[in-house]
Amino acid sequence: MAIRLRIEVPLTPPTVFKTQDSVHNLLVHAMAQHGYHLPRNQPARWGFGVIRRPVSSIPTSLPLFHLQRIIVGSTDREIADVLAKLTPDDLTELSQVPGSGLDLRHAQIIHDRSWIPTAVLPIAPISPVRVLEHGPRGSIALLQLGPTWEARLNHVMTRRFDRPFAIRVIPDDIYLRERGGRVCTQLPVKSMPKTHRPVVLPGLQFPAILTGPEADLRDAWFNGLGAGTGMGFGCLGTAG
């Protein structure tokens, strides 16, 4: 079983948020209403992404975003069953200050039927793809495209799903040339407890064609590509 949902947030009144953590907390709380328990120290077999736009065009140290759409999906049977039961009434974020968390009970939940089995998938990532390399000082993000990045991407997916992956990533060469190869971007994942400044983590975001076994592309489409999909990294959209 596989499922991919679009949570459409009305433009009025506007819904404002600061970091991915708020959306993550909202989704986990909603899923918990139907029996989901967030596992510890295990790779996520689900993922989400956020369509957003800045509240202001002027960069600030504490940026705010208008929330427009959340995409969430999974091919894990138990998680997919939980997601299928979500209703708008489940879409609230638990917060230490009552009433201050995200409240999307006015949103609409739509089942996304866009997946067609394929071995060639043109994609435009909705959020950065995060690929990690483990070293003596912990994990670091790989931020240079190439064979090493692709090999580590497949290693990350193999670890997440406990089976070999063989995804090939063919970046859009025109896009890379126009940007001088600069495809690194950052995602604000949470706020520091004392300063409330955002903690940002890097990844790569670029249009590409994915090729490989249909099962590999299917898992990437529904669950997200790479690491950190449970915090909103690696959510895929179709190119074109």
Side-chain angles (χ1 to χ4, degrees):
M1 180 178 180
I3 191 170
R4 182 170 158 119
L5 303 177
R6 299 199 321 266
I7 301 174
E8 301 286 354
V9 183
L11 298 179
T12 54
T15 300
V16 176
F17 76 111
K18 290 189 292 186
T19 64
Q20 299 287 111
D21 198 39
S22 292
V23 180
H24 165 84
N25 291 341
L26 177 141
L27 291 172
V28 170
H29 178 245
M31 293 161 67
Q33 308 310 302
H34 301 281
Y36 175 73
H37 300 285
L38 186 67
R40 293 187 178 184
N41 301 320
Q42 294 184 22
R45 292 197 177 186
W46 65 287
F48 76 90
V50 176
I51 305 294
R52 61 182 188 173
R53 61 181 177 84
V55 169
S56 172
S57 60
I58 301 174
T60 66
S61 59
L62 295 172
L64 293 173
F65 302 95
H66 287 297
L67 179 57
Q68 298 176 309
R69 176 186 296 169
I70 301 170
I71 297 171
V72 57
S74 180
T75 54
D76 181 281
R77 182 175 296 276
E78 292 184 5
I79 298 175
D81 183 60
V82 166
L83 291 175
K85 296 176 182 176
L86 293 187
T87 70
D89 286 341
D90 299 319
L91 302 178
T92 58
E93 177 192 9
L94 289 179
S95 175
Q96 293 181 346
V97 180
S100 65
L102 280 178
D103 187 338
L104 301 184
R105 287 177 289 183
H106 60 306
Q108 182 183 13
I109 299 177
I110 300 171
H111 285 246
D112 188 333
R113 312 291 188 185
S114 57
W115 172 252
I116 299 174
T118 182
V120 180
L121 180 64
I123 57 102
I126 291 167
S127 53
V129 178
R130 189 163 163 81
V131 173
L132 303 179
E133 184 171 48
H134 301 289
R137 297 185 179 181
S139 299
I140 60 171
L142 292 182
L143 302 176
Q144 184 68 45
L145 285 172
T148 299
W149 186 88
E150 186 177 276
R152 292 301 303 177
L153 172 67
N154 280 295
H155 177 81
V156 168
M157 296 298 286
T158 295
R159 182 171 179 270
R160 287 179 62 195
F161 293 95
D162 196 28
R163 65 174 181 81
F165 267 72
I167 291 176
R168 176 89 194 282
V169 181
I170 306 170
D172 185 317
D173 191 55
I174 295 176
Y175 181 86
L176 264 61
R177 286 204 304 267
E178 289 177 346
R179 298 184 61 86
R182 294 184 295 272
V183 293
C184 179
T185 187
Q186 296 182 324
L187 202 61
V189 295
K190 63 180 179 179
S191 297
M192 295 293 287
K194 294 183 179 180
T195 64
H196 299 291
R197 291 183 178 276
V199 175
V200 296
L201 295 177
L204 300 185
Q205 191 164 7
F206 55 93
I209 294 174
L210 304 184
T211 65
E214 188 272 333
D216 293 2
L217 301 188
R218 178 176 179 268
D219 278 339
W221 175 253
F222 284 98
N223 302 275
L225 185 64
T229 61
M231 287 302 298
F233 285 91
C235 184
L236 303 182
T238 54

